Amino acid sequence: MNKIGFFRSVSLKLVLVYILLLIIALLLIGVFFTNSLENQLIKNTRVSLESNIEWLNQSLVQEFEEERSPTDPTLEEDIADLLVNYSDGDNTKIQVIDNQRQLVGTSEPGGQDLVGARVIESNIIQAITNNGILPSSEQPNIVIDEETGDRTLRYYDEIMRTGSNGEEELLGIIYVRKSIEDVYSQLKSTNIIFLQATFIALIFAAVLGILIARAITKPIKEMQKQARVMATGDFSKRVNVYGEDEIGQLARTFNHMNDELRQAHMRTEGERRKLSSVLSHMSDGVIATDRNGAITLMNAPAESLIGRSAEEVRGQFLIEVLNLNEKIVDITEIQETGSIIIDMSDDDQYLLLRCNFSIVQDEYEQISGFITVISDVTEQEQIEQERREFVSNVSHELRTPLTTMRSYLEALTDGAWKDEGIAPHFLDVTQQETDRMIRLVNDLLQLSRMDSSNYTMEWQRIDFTEFFHHVIDRFDMNKREDIHFERYLPKDEAIVSVDQDKMMQVLDNIISNAIKYSPDGGTIRFRLRKDSQKLLISISDEGMGIAHEKLDKIFERFYRTDKARTRKLGGTGLGLAIAKDLVDAHHGVIWAESKEGRGTTVLFTIPLNRKRGELR
């Protein structure tokens, strides 16, 4: 298990959560504090402005009501002097407009030229029209000054006097624009100080959070380290207990679990060793699966039988590994199947396996897994199959002549022996069938002797060329006249070690078959070729030929390509099987080449440099 870095650890997560909560708290405090401070500063500015304008309003009322002689200063001059006293420089701009919408005074130094001009601002026109009543949204409000771009507090105040009839009369409007950029500058400075303090607080909080997180996670890291040690099977160490809190109780529980696991591990290890010993010394293969049929265990004999390692099939389903899909749909059907023979053959090996199944139940009698015991029954099944085929073939071969003989003998018994025209024919057929059974029994005895363990060979060194001529001459004297022999044999000697009688039987069986299946006027060709290692002998006929898929079967016992014609010609179906066994005994190889309708060639080899000795 890889070591967990700080950036993936619980400590970092605790610190991040701690800092995140602190940041959220500081942000909430900062927003609340900034908004409150902003509102308070603007409120203070507004109150101060309203107080000053109230005093200015009283003074302006007096100026508007005062009667002036031609020698006295004009209203505009008195208002200008008055505004100089109430103006605080460029931050505050005051305009006084009379009830005729004429500007009668301004605090702006460059605005004196506008005195006497009519004001066209809609808010002032509306106030004068409504006898000084302004919309509540306009009293006061903050706007952006179009000339300076500063945030400006805009304020209107009515200059009112009480008439002789007791009604209030509008004398004019005071229009004030006060820049509050200094308020926001002060607010900005305060925010910078607050952010600096917040940054310092976060640094101290992070350091403190790391120390606290490490103190909390230290016991957890020790338990994690101990858990990795326990995973290797070492239960000797214990974790430290640092207190009586929840983590301390967890450490005590962890140590108790460690003790219990040590005892359980010792018991499990003992059982595992016993099971491993049993499985490793079994000759049969054992495969264990879970309740779903996934393979969890397999011993060495099972690996050898199925040709796959335990690691390769671990986790795969038993039904798929053993190719049981056609026989078993669901794994739960195994308990009803009991035993199955499966074919695990491939191109290189013929393999039959017997699988015996059993279920494993837990304490609640629920299926927790399955055990499969597999054994190699290839040889047993082959022997049993050969035995059944042999008994069937022998019974069939003997039944045909016996049935024929019985029929003819019953006819003779019923009086046919008195008929001089029929009786000799019946006796001749009976004699032929008797000879056929004798040949069959002799061939079976020959095969039986070759299969026995005490079968020996009588080796002799002979010139095979001369020997081959001798065998061909013997057949040439007794063959049908319409059959022709062609010999392609070398003139030099070909010395080999063979059992002369057995090799003569091989040639007799092959040549007899060639003569039987040759058509009228057919030619049989004999060839002998020698190289440094072996002799190659071939015998070809011009018969009906053999299909390609049947060539490998003609050397099996009782196999016939044309059963009806073979029996008619008196064949037993064992000639080529005997020839194959005898060629194998000479350490040679025999095979056939053929095309349907174009004849058959039987070829076999004999080693030239074989040592003298017995086969078995």
Side-chain angles (χ1 to χ4, degrees):
M1 184 181 295
N2 296 329
K3 183 178 179 181
I4 299 177
F6 176 75
F7 292 100
R8 297 174 57 192
S9 65
V10 176
S11 299
L12 178 62
K13 295 177 182 177
L14 290 175
V15 172
L16 290 178
V17 171
Y18 176 66
I19 293 177
L20 183 61
L21 292 175
L22 182 60
I23 290 175
I24 293 173
L26 290 175
L27 285 175
L28 293 176
I29 293 173
V31 171
F32 177 77
F33 174 76
T34 302
N35 289 336
S36 300
L37 180 61
E38 179 183 4
N39 293 332
Q40 187 62 42
L41 290 175
I42 293 175
K43 181 180 179 181
N44 293 340
T45 302
R46 184 184 298 120
V47 170
S48 176
L49 178 63
E50 290 177 353
S51 177
N52 291 334
I53 295 302
E54 184 179 356
W55 286 99
L56 176 62
N57 195 330
Q58 294 176 2
S59 300
L60 288 173
V61 171
Q62 294 176 2
E63 293 294 338
F64 273 104
E65 292 181 344
E66 183 180 352
E67 295 182 359
R68 290 178 174 79
S69 63
T71 58
D72 292 334
T74 63
L75 176 63
E76 287 80 1
E77 292 174 347
D78 289 338
I79 291 176
D81 294 338
L82 186 62
L83 291 180
V84 171
N85 296 328
Y86 280 93
S87 177
D88 58 354
D90 294 336
N91 290 336
T92 304
K93 298 177 181 180
I94 304 174
Q95 290 182 347
V96 179
I97 300 98
D98 63 12
N99 54 10
Q100 300 301 317
R101 294 190 295 155
Q102 287 185 350
L103 180 65
V104 295
T106 180
S107 63
E108 300 179 49
Q112 297 302 322
D113 295 339
L114 299 176
V115 174
R118 294 179 68 85
V119 177
I120 60 175
E121 188 172 342
S122 60
N123 290 333
I124 295 176
I125 295 173
Q126 183 180 2
I128 294 174
T129 304
N130 296 332
N131 197 26
I133 300 175
L134 287 168
S136 58
S137 60
E138 298 293 340
Q139 279 296 96
N141 60 353
I142 299 175
V143 297
I144 302 298
D145 192 291
E146 296 179 356
E147 297 178 0
T148 63
D150 294 343
R151 281 163 286 199
T152 304
L153 181 64
R154 186 171 61 181
Y155 181 74
Y156 300 91
D157 195 21
E158 305 90 349
I159 304 173
M160 306 291 292
R161 73 174 177 179
T162 304
S164 58
N165 56 0
E167 295 183 357
E168 291 188 344
E169 179 185 356
L170 177 66
L171 298 177
I173 298 294
I174 301 174
Y175 176 39
V176 183
R177 291 177 297 168
K178 181 175 179 60
S179 176
I180 56 174
E181 284 297 323
D182 56 341
V183 172
Y184 286 95
S185 297
Q186 184 180 357
L187 187 63
K188 181 178 180 181
S189 300
T190 304
N191 287 338
I192 291 175
I193 295 173
F194 181 79
L195 289 175
Q196 291 174 345
T198 300
F199 181 72
I200 295 173
L202 288 177
I203 292 176
F204 281 105
V207 174
L208 182 61
I210 291 174
L211 296 177
I212 296 174
R214 287 184 176 179
I216 294 174
T217 58
K218 182 179 179 181
I220 299 177
K221 289 182 178 179
E222 290 185 2
M223 284 184 276
Q224 180 189 27
K225 182 178 180 181
Q226 176 61 16
R228 288 198 296 266
V229 174
M230 290 167 58
T232 63
D234 183 3
F235 301 93
S236 60
K237 296 181 180 180
R238 301 170 66 85
V239 297
N240 297 321
V241 180
Y242 292 98
E244 295 300 328
D245 55 4
E246 289 84 351
I247 296 180
Q249 293 297 323
L250 177 62
R252 292 183 184 276
T253 305
F254 192 88
N255 288 332
H256 177 69
M257 181 186 67
N258 181 45
D259 296 337
E260 294 297 324
L261 286 176
R262 181 171 63 249
Q263 297 297 327
H265 180 73
M266 292 174 61
R267 292 191 296 268
T268 304
E269 185 64 19
E271 295 297 327
R272 187 193 66 80
R273 289 175 180 172
K274 294 178 183 177
L275 178 61
S276 177
S277 178
V278 171
L279 292 177
S280 61
H281 289 86
M282 288 182 63
S283 58
D284 292 336
V286 177
I287 302 176
T289 69
D290 59 15
R291 60 183 300 175
N292 297 318
I295 296 176
T296 58
L297 181 145
M298 186 167 67
N299 65 353
E303 293 180 355
S304 176
L305 288 173
I306 69 173
R308 301 174 68 181
S309 66
E311 293 298 327
E312 181 182 355
V313 301
R314 191 182 307 276
Q316 298 185 21
F317 290 103
L318 178 69
I319 293 178
E320 297 177 356
V321 172
L322 296 182
N323 298 324
L324 300 176
N325 305 81
E326 297 181 357
K327 299 180 180 180
I328 298 176
V329 177
D330 190 81
I331 189 66
T332 55
E333 299 177 9
I334 281 183
Q335 56 182 328
E336 301 175 359
T337 304
S339 178
I340 293 178
I341 294 179
I342 60 175
D343 188 353
M344 298 290 288
S345 304
D346 53 25
D347 296 337
D348 300 325
Q349 182 184 19
Y350 179 64
L351 180 63
L352 296 177
L353 301 179
R354 181 183 297 277
C355 301
N356 296 301
F357 306 102
S358 61
I359 62 174
V360 180
Q361 296 179 326
D362 56 18
E363 62 271 18
Y364 304 106
E365 296 186 354
Q366 298 294 323
I367 296 176
S368 60
F370 300 90
I371 298 295
T372 304
V373 179
I374 57 177
S375 54
D376 186 358
V377 294
T378 305
E379 186 175 355
Q380 300 174 17
E381 290 297 318
Q382 285 180 329
I383 292 174
E384 182 63 22
Q385 180 65 24
E386 290 176 0
R387 184 190 65 79
R388 289 193 295 266
E389 292 180 356
F390 182 78
V391 172
S392 175
N393 289 329
V394 170
S395 300
H396 186 73
E397 293 298 330
L398 291 175
R399 183 180 59 184
T400 300
L402 287 174
T403 301
T404 303
M405 291 173 62
R406 179 180 178 181
S407 299
Y408 281 91
L409 289 175
E410 286 178 353
L412 292 172
T413 303
D414 291 339
W417 62 275
K418 297 177 181 180
D419 189 338
E420 296 180 357
I422 297 177
H425 174 68
F426 281 9
L427 292 174
D428 182 59
V429 171
T430 303
Q431 180 66 38
Q432 291 178 4
E433 294 299 329
T434 302
D435 293 339
R436 178 181 172 189
M437 285 192 294
I438 291 174
R439 289 195 303 272
L440 176 61
V441 172
N442 288 334
D443 289 342
L444 290 174
L445 290 175
Q446 175 71 21
L447 289 173
S448 177
R449 285 194 299 268
M450 295 179 66
D451 291 336
S452 65
S453 58
N454 58 356
Y455 178 71
T456 59
M457 301 282 288
E458 300 293 336
W459 299 105
Q460 297 177 355
R461 291 183 65 81
I462 63 172
D463 177 7
F464 198 86
T465 303
E466 180 181 351
F467 174 73
F468 201 6
H469 277 295
H470 172 71
V471 175
I472 298 171
D473 290 341
R474 185 161 51 84
F475 276 94
D476 197 12
M477 293 175 61
N478 300 303
K479 67 178 177 64
R480 304 196 314 264
E481 294 182 358
D482 57 344
I483 299 295
H484 305 284
F485 283 179
E486 292 183 2
R487 309 185 193 194
Y488 300 93
L489 278 61
K491 296 180 179 180
D492 54 340
E493 294 181 343
I495 305 300
V496 292
S497 294
V498 297
D499 185 319
Q500 190 168 344
D501 291 338
K502 305 298 187 297
M503 187 52 61
M504 184 174 293
Q505 189 174 359
V506 171
L507 294 173
D508 285 351
N509 290 344
I510 296 174
I511 296 173
S512 296
N513 280 344
I515 293 174
K516 289 176 185 177
Y517 293 104
S518 289
D520 294 340
T523 300
I524 299 177
R525 296 174 177 84
F526 305 92
R527 291 181 172 85
L528 175 63
R529 192 178 67 203
K530 181 176 66 170
D531 60 22
S532 59
Q533 300 294 329
K534 62 182 180 297
L535 285 180
L536 174 61
I537 301 97
S538 66
I539 301 170
S540 304
D541 61 51
E542 295 178 345
M544 60 183 178
I546 304 171
H548 178 73
E549 62 272 11
K550 298 179 180 180
L551 279 177
D552 293 337
K553 297 181 180 180
I554 64 174
F555 297 100
E556 296 178 4
R557 297 176 183 183
F558 295 107
Y559 183 81
R560 297 185 177 92
T561 56
D562 187 346
K563 295 183 178 181
R565 183 178 179 186
T566 303
R567 289 197 182 96
K568 182 178 179 181
L569 296 174
T572 63
L574 296 174
L576 290 180
I578 294 174
K580 182 180 184 303
D581 286 347
L582 292 175
V583 171
D584 290 341
H586 284 82
H587 303 286
V589 180
I590 187 171
W591 70 97
E593 297 175 355
S594 179
K595 290 184 179 180
E596 290 186 271
R598 299 180 61 181
T600 301
T601 300
V602 177
L603 308 95
F604 67 94
T605 63
I606 301 175
L608 286 174
N609 300 319
R610 197 189 63 79
K611 295 182 179 180
R612 291 178 176 271
E614 295 182 349
L615 173 64
R616 314 172 197 260

